[in-house]
C-alpha cells in the first residue's frame, strides 16, 4: 500500500534531473518513475515545481540546552525546514553543558526529541580532558567528533593540544568514526592590534588555516583516522585537502555561504553581524573559492549557523564582539540565486555528499529505499533575504538583502509535511539519524 505520491515534479538529484513521480510508503521512497500507476492515500501535485532531496546541514549550533536565548532547536529546525532542509547535525558547543560526555548528549537528545521539526544528529566534543568519554559518546549515537585546534571562544570547550589530538584520533579511528576539526593553528594567531574589523581580520591570517590543516592531516595519516575540516575559508585549503587525498589520506572539507559570497571588506557594511572565525577573507580568496565550487572541487556547503542575541553583535571593539554568523535558513536559496551553479551540483553539495561523507543512513537521495525527505520548491520565485522571513530565535543575518531563488512550497520529513504555505507545521516530527553501519 502506497501512502503518498508526489506527482509531476522535476526531480533533481546529484546524478539526474527530470520529470518523475515519487511514491512513499511508511516514510520511505518506494518508487521513482514517470507516470507511476499507483493508488495512494494522498497525492501532492508538484507540476511546475522542482523536487530536491531534503537538505542536510551538518554544521549548526542550536545552543539547546543552556543558551536558548541565542537559539533553540524548535526555531532552528523550523528555519531549516523553511529553507528545504530535513536533517541537521548539531555541534557540541555552544550549548551548556557542552557535549563532551554521555550525560550531556542525553540531555541534548531529549531536547531534540521534544522539539525538533526535522531529523537530527549530534557531534560529540573532543577536548583536552575528555579522552575517556569518546567511547560513551559514540555508543550513544554521536555521528563523529569535533575538536578545536585553537581556543573555541567558549571556556567550557577548550582547545586540543597536539597530544590530545593524536590520542583522540587514535581512539576515533578504532571506533571507525570521524573527527571534524576547526583548523586554525594558535601559534599563527595573534592578539588584534586595535579595535577595527581590519585588526581582527589581520589577527587570524590564512596561514593559520594552512598550518593547522597540515598538522591535522599529518596526525590523521599517522593514526588512520578519518578527518573532516570544517569551514575551509581559502581555496588553498581545499588544494591541500585534495593533495592529501591524492596521497591516500581519508580527509574532506566543507565551506559556508559567507566565505563564498563576502570578502573582509564587506565587514565595513556588515559590522559585527559578519564576524566569524576564520574571518571573511580577501576578494581574491572569495572568488577563488567560488571558482572551486563551480568546478566541483568543493564537496559540501553547510551553514555554520552560529547565532547569538543581536546585542552581542554590536560594539565599538570588533575583537570583543561575539563571533558567529546566523544563516541556516537560506543556504540553498542563496546558492540557487547564482544561476551559473548547476541544480544537480547544488543537490549534491547540500544533501548526498554530506550523507555519504558522514554515513547517514537513508539520507540525501531520491531513490527507492531512502527516507522520503523532500523539498518541493518553486524556482520561478526570486527575492532577497528579509529579516521578517527568518525563523531564528533572534531573526537577523549577515545574508539580509542578498538575492535568493526558490520559494518553499512544501518540505517533507520521512513523508510527513513539516513546512507548507509559509508555515512550520506544529509538533516535533524529527528523530535521531543513525549511521549506515
Ligand atoms: Zn561552527
Amino acid at each position: 500500500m502506497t501512502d503518498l505520491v508526489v506527482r509531476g515534479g522535476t526531480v533533481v538529484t546529484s546524478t539526474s534531473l527530470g520529470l518523475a513521480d515519487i511514491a512513499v510508503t511508511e516514510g520511505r521512497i518506494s518508487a521513482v518513475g514517470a507516470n507511476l500507476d499507483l493508488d495512494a492515500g494522498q497525492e501532492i501535485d508538484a507540476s511546475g515545481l522542482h523536487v530536491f532531496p531534503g537538505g542536510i546541514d551538518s554544521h549548526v549550533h542550536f545552543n539547546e540546552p543552556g543558551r536558548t536565548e541565542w537559539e533553540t532547536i524548535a526555531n532552528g529546525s523550523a528555519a531549516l525546514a523553511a529553507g528545504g532542509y530535513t536533517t541537521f547535525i548539531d555541534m557540541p558547543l555552544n550549548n551548556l553543558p557542552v557535549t563532551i560526555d554521555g550525560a550531556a548528549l542525553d540531555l541534548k537528545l531529549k531536547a531534540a526529541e521534544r522539539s525538533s521539526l526535522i531529523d537530527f544528529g549530534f557531534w560529540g566534543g573532543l577536548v583536552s580532558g575528555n579522552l575517556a568519554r569518546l567511547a560513551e559518546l559514540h555508543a550513544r549515537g554521536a555521528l563523529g567528533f569535533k575538536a578545536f585546534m585553537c581556543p573555541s571562544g567558549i571556556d567550557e570547550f577548550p582547545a586540543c593540544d597536539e597530544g590530545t589530538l593524536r590520542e583522540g584520533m587514535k581512539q576515533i579511528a578504532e571506533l571507525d568514526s570521524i573527527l571534524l576539526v576547526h583548523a586554525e593553528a594558535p601559534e599563527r594567531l595573534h592578539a588584534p592590534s586595535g579595535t577595527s574589523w581590519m585588526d581582527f581580520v589581520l589577527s587570524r591570517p590564512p596561514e593559520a588555516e594552512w598550518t593547522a590543516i597540515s598538522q591535522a592531516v599529518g596526525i590523521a595519516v599517522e593514526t588512520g583516522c578519518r578527518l573532516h575540516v570544517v569551514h575551509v575559508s581559502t581555496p588553498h585549503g581545499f588544494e591541500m585537502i585534495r593533495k592529501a587525498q591524492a596521497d591516500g589520506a581519508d580527509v574532506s572539507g566543507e565551506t559556508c555561504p559567507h566565505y563564498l559570497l563576502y570578502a573582509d571588506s564587506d565587514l565595513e557594511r556588515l559590522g559585527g553581524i559578519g564576524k566569524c572565525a576564520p574571518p571573511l577573507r580577501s576578494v581574491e580568496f572569495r572568488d577563488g573559492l567560488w571558482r572551486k565550487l563551480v568546478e566541483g572541487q568543493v564537496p559540501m556547503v553547510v551553514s555554520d549557523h552560529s547565532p547569538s542575541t543581536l546585542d552581542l553583535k554590536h560594539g565599538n571593539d570588533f575583537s570583543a564582539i561575539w563571533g558567529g554568523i546566523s544563516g541556516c535558513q537560506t543556504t540553498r536559496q542563496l546558492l540557487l540565486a547564482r544561476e551559473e551553479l548547476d541544480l544537480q551540483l547544488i543537490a549534491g553539495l547540500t544533501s548526498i555528499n554530506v550523507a555519504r561523507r558522514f554515513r547517514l543512513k537513508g539520507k540525501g537521495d531520491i531513490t527507492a529505499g531512502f527516507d522520503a525527505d523532500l523539498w518541493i520548491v518553486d524556482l520561478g520565485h526570486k527575492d532577497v533575504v528579509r529579516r521578517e522571513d527568518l525563523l531564528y530565535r533572534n531573526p537577523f543575518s549577515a545574508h539580509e538583502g542578498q538575492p535568493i531563488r526558490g520559494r518553499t512550497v512544501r518540505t517533507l520529513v520521512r513523508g510527513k509535511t513539516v513546512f507548507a504555505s509559509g508555515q512550520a507545521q506544529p509538533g516535533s516530527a524529527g528523530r535521531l539519524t543513525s549511521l549506515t553501519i
Side-chain angles (χ1 to χ4, degrees):
M1 179 60 197
T2 304
D3 300 319
L4 164 70
V5 181
V6 179
R7 293 235 182 248
T10 300
V11 175
V12 185
T13 73
S14 66
T15 52
S16 66
L17 187 151
L19 284 177
D21 299 339
I22 302 163
V24 177
T25 306
E26 292 179 351
R28 290 220 182 100
I29 295 168
S30 45
V32 182
N35 305 310
L36 291 179
D37 184 18
L38 289 167
D39 284 325
Q42 187 193 1
E43 296 229 345
I44 293 172
D45 179 10
S47 50
L49 305 171
H50 284 73
V51 187
F52 283 75
I56 303 167
D57 194 338
S58 57
H59 193 155
V60 298
H61 300 261
F62 283 166
N63 300 327
E64 192 171 345
R67 275 204 184 85
T68 49
E69 69 279 16
W70 290 9
E71 188 61 287
T72 65
I73 292 171
N75 283 97
S77 65
L80 281 172
Y85 283 74
T86 53
T87 306
F88 70 84
I89 312 178
D90 195 51
M91 284 293 168
L93 69 166
N94 311 316
N95 47 281
L96 285 171
V98 293
T99 320
I100 55 173
D101 57 34
L105 190 80
D106 287 344
L107 285 176
K108 194 185 274 195
L109 176 61
K110 282 205 188 79
E113 284 174 339
R114 204 163 46 231
S115 61
S116 184
L117 200 58
I118 66 175
D119 284 353
F120 49 82
F122 306 112
W123 303 119
L126 166 63
V127 298
S128 292
N130 85 327
L131 284 167
R133 303 296 188 168
L134 304 185
E136 70 186 44
L137 284 160
H138 178 74
R140 280 168 159 89
L143 298 171
F145 297 87
K146 163 81 176 287
F148 274 73
M149 296 173 73
C150 63
S152 73
I154 298 278
D155 293 340
E156 298 82 358
F157 199 94
C160 269
D161 55 77
E162 198 187 319
T164 304
L165 206 55
R166 178 170 287 105
E167 187 52 38
M169 283 206 230
K170 251 186 227 164
Q171 285 193 30
I172 291 166
E174 276 162 26
L175 296 168
D176 193 21
S177 190
I178 186 166
L179 181 68
L180 283 61
V181 286
H182 177 122
E184 286 185 290
E187 64 272 26
R188 296 272 187 158
L189 305 176
H190 50 82
S193 55
T195 57
S196 74
W197 62 260
M198 203 177 294
D199 294 317
F200 170 73
V201 169
L202 292 171
S203 75
R204 306 187 83 107
E207 290 79 8
E209 177 168 285
W210 305 331
T211 301
I213 291 175
S214 166
Q215 290 169 350
V217 165
I219 302 172
V221 169
E222 185 190 316
T223 56
C225 185
R226 292 194 290 137
L227 179 71
H228 176 78
V229 183
V230 297
H231 48 51
V232 176
S233 65
T234 61
H236 183 60
F238 278 103
E239 281 155 20
M240 293 180 73
I241 289 167
R242 275 181 91 83
K243 166 85 169 54
Q245 287 168 339
D247 294 344
D250 191 347
V251 55
S252 55
E254 67 188 30
T255 194
C256 315
H258 37 279
Y259 300 114
L260 294 162
L261 298 174
Y262 315 126
D264 49 9
S265 52
D266 285 296
L267 291 171
E268 188 67 43
R269 161 180 75 81
L270 290 168
I273 286 178
K275 181 179 172 182
C276 57
L280 300 175
R281 301 298 192 188
S282 65
V283 168
E284 186 193 345
F285 283 171
R286 178 198 64 191
D287 293 350
L289 207 51
W290 185 265
R291 273 196 301 280
K292 288 211 176 297
L293 185 77
V294 174
E295 290 164 4
Q297 295 178 47
V298 172
M300 59 178 101
V301 178
V302 297
S303 69
D304 192 6
H305 178 72
S306 186
S308 69
T309 51
L310 188 54
D311 58 309
L312 293 179
K313 301 300 276 178
H314 294 318
N316 297 324
D317 179 358
F318 203 88
S319 68
I321 291 172
W322 170 255
I325 284 183
S326 289
C328 69
Q329 187 171 328
T330 52
T331 304
R332 274 189 161 172
Q333 291 164 317
L334 288 164
L335 295 175
L336 285 163
R338 304 287 287 257
E339 296 197 15
E340 74 267 32
L341 275 191
D342 183 79
L343 297 184
Q344 291 179 234
L345 180 70
I346 294 173
L349 289 169
T350 55
S351 53
I352 191 67
N353 295 358
V354 186
R356 284 216 183 102
R357 180 57 181 157
F358 300 130
R359 300 179 175 170
L360 309 182
K361 190 175 175 192
K363 296 297 186 193
D365 204 357
I366 300 179
T367 190
F370 275 66
D371 288 352
D373 296 343
L374 303 171
W375 184 37
I376 306 175
V377 57
D378 174 8
L379 291 185
H381 184 87
K382 293 180 187 175
D383 203 345
V384 294
V385 178
R386 294 172 199 283
R387 187 168 287 195
E388 60 266 32
D389 294 332
L390 299 174
L391 301 183
Y392 312 138
R393 173 80 176 78
N394 293 281
F396 66 86
S397 173
H399 303 308
E400 284 171 55
Q402 284 295 306
I404 51 174
R405 179 162 71 121
R407 182 180 59 87
T408 296
V409 174
R410 196 186 277 261
T411 304
L412 300 105
V413 174
R414 285 175 284 102
K416 182 176 186 288
T417 296
V418 296
F419 190 93
S421 312
Q423 293 283 332
Q425 304 301 297
S428 54
R431 73 179 184 205
L432 185 66
T433 295
S434 55
L435 295 167
T436 51
I437 40 161

